[in-house]
Amino acid sequence: RLHTPPLMKRKASAVWRGDLKSGRGTISTESTVLKDTPYSFGTRFESGVGTNPEELIGAAHAGCFSMGLSAELQKAGFIAESIATSATVTLEQHPQTGWTVTQVHLDTRATVPGITTEKFAAIAEGAKAGCPISRLLKAAISLDAKLL
């Protein structure tokens, strides 16, 4: 059994320069999987080339859920041959609050030998509730903001 520390911190960063419409930014991760990856108004609200915060949330949620589902299946005595999850993040503009992420829809297709449809559905619901990213999306966010 692998020993995991009780607290892990992962870092990502973003730099933005300019105004909203014509400005540009980059996103990087500590692991350097993303390194100065471009994002802009066009990549977020239009179909420009680059990434955006919503697709990164979707990728994180799909990855977290797939791993969590695998773990929950294993606890129940099943080993998945494959788990493929896509996450659709909905960003809506509301008159009162402005742009808001209103929903993340997980769509999972799995091959799990020997499991019933009912058992799989119950385990998947448990994995959704237990996924750390699912819980984050309901959690409070802390902030430390300082001017330089």
Side-chain angles (χ1 to χ4, degrees):
R1 190 170 165 106
L2 293 174
H3 171 73
T4 55
L7 176 66
M8 296 176 10
K9 294 187 178 191
R10 303 288 190 224
K11 285 187 171 185
S13 61
V15 175
W16 186 265
R17 301 190 192 292
D19 66 11
L20 176 63
K21 287 256 183 167
S22 63
R24 296 276 183 263
T26 58
I27 295 174
S28 299
T29 57
E30 187 175 38
S31 68
T32 69
V33 168
L34 297 178
K35 184 165 176 50
D36 298 326
T37 303
Y39 78 115
S40 66
F41 184 89
T43 65
R44 191 168 194 189
F45 299 106
E46 297 164 356
S47 53
V49 176
T51 191
N52 59 72
E54 291 73 30
E55 80 174 0
L56 295 173
I57 289 169
H61 203 177
C64 183
F65 175 78
S66 292
M67 288 179 78
L69 179 55
S70 173
E72 293 304 311
L73 286 165
Q74 185 176 0
K75 284 182 202 170
F78 300 96
I79 302 297
E81 287 178 10
S82 69
I83 298 170
T85 303
S86 65
T88 303
V89 177
T90 301
L91 181 65
E92 292 183 65
Q93 189 171 25
H94 291 281
Q96 297 83 11
T97 58
W99 288 101
T100 304
V101 172
T102 56
Q103 180 182 9
V104 179
H105 176 73
L106 297 171
D107 187 19
T108 299
R109 299 295 177 264
T111 303
V112 185
I115 198 167
T116 65
T117 302
E118 296 78 16
K119 183 76 170 168
F120 177 75
I123 292 172
E125 279 300 317
K128 182 186 80 163
C131 167
I133 300 298
S134 293
R135 291 195 307 264
L136 167 70
L137 296 176
K138 298 176 186 179
I141 307 298
S142 63
L143 172 65
D144 178 17
K146 292 184 177 71
L147 284 173
L148 297 178

